[in-house]
Amino acid sequence: WDVSRPKTRCIVTLGAHSKSIGSIAVSPTQPCFASASDDKSVRLWDLNLLARSSDKPTLSHRTAIVRQFDAHSSYVTSVDFESSGRVVASGSLDSTIRIWHKDMSEAALVFQTRHAVRHVAFVPGTVHLLLSAGDGGAQLWDVRR
């Protein structure tokens, strides 16, 4: 990075969600990221396809969507990848945590909480997921199958 001569520019703008994106997470092992939206969905995106689309304005950004998860019944507030990059957790105002395998379209696990979920974060190298809830507390969950 040469901060004395910035060349920062937006190369792609995504518009595939129908409502605002409240959270994004980048896979630690693969060139993809997840987005969580107020449209009640989580989407996985291929970063390589997005980078190529910056040179081809006719390429639809929807082609960069690897997977879409639509099981939440309210805004999805947070998303995170576990350390292998194959599993994604999402939290929602519907008071659920959903654990998704990147290659499956259905949630592998669903946990009901007592309060709206504000944020989820995997503890690196473990099967634990931290969440913050609408009651002002934080919880640690074991998300083993």
Side-chain angles (χ1 to χ4, degrees):
W1 293 78
D2 181 358
V3 294
S4 65
R5 296 180 41 185
K7 296 179 184 177
T8 304
R9 66 185 175 92
C10 178
I11 59 171
V12 177
T13 299
L14 305 174
H17 281 286
S18 63
K19 294 190 177 176
S20 67
I21 294 173
S23 176
I24 58 173
V26 177
S27 169
T29 60
Q30 299 168 14
C32 70
F33 77 95
S35 58
S37 173
D38 289 355
D39 67 9
K40 306 175 189 175
S41 74
V42 173
R43 296 185 184 176
L44 301 184
W45 303 81
D46 183 317
L47 284 168
N48 290 331
L49 285 174
L50 287 174
R52 284 196 295 272
S53 75
S54 67
D55 298 327
K56 298 176 185 163
T58 57
L59 178 66
S60 168
H61 297 144
R62 290 189 183 278
T63 62
I65 298 172
V66 175
R67 181 88 51 223
Q68 181 169 326
F69 306 124
D70 290 313
H72 285 289
S73 63
S74 188
Y75 299 168
V76 184
T77 55
S78 184
V79 65
D80 195 28
F81 281 90
E82 58 84 43
S83 55
S84 75
R86 294 187 312 262
V87 176
V88 176
S90 59
S92 171
L93 295 184
D94 67 8
S95 302
T96 65
I97 305 164
R98 294 181 187 270
I99 307 297
W100 312 89
H101 287 275
K102 191 173 144 273
D103 300 323
M104 299 171 61
S105 58
E106 298 291 322
L109 296 169
V110 179
F111 299 97
Q112 185 69 46
T113 67
R114 290 187 297 181
H115 301 280
V117 178
R118 300 294 182 179
H119 190 79
V120 295
F122 277 101
V123 178
T126 73
V127 294
H128 296 127
L129 183 73
L130 281 166
L131 73 86
S132 63
D135 66 347
Q139 301 170 7
L140 182 64
W141 287 68
D142 183 330
V143 294
R144 270 182 279 227
R145 199 170 206 182

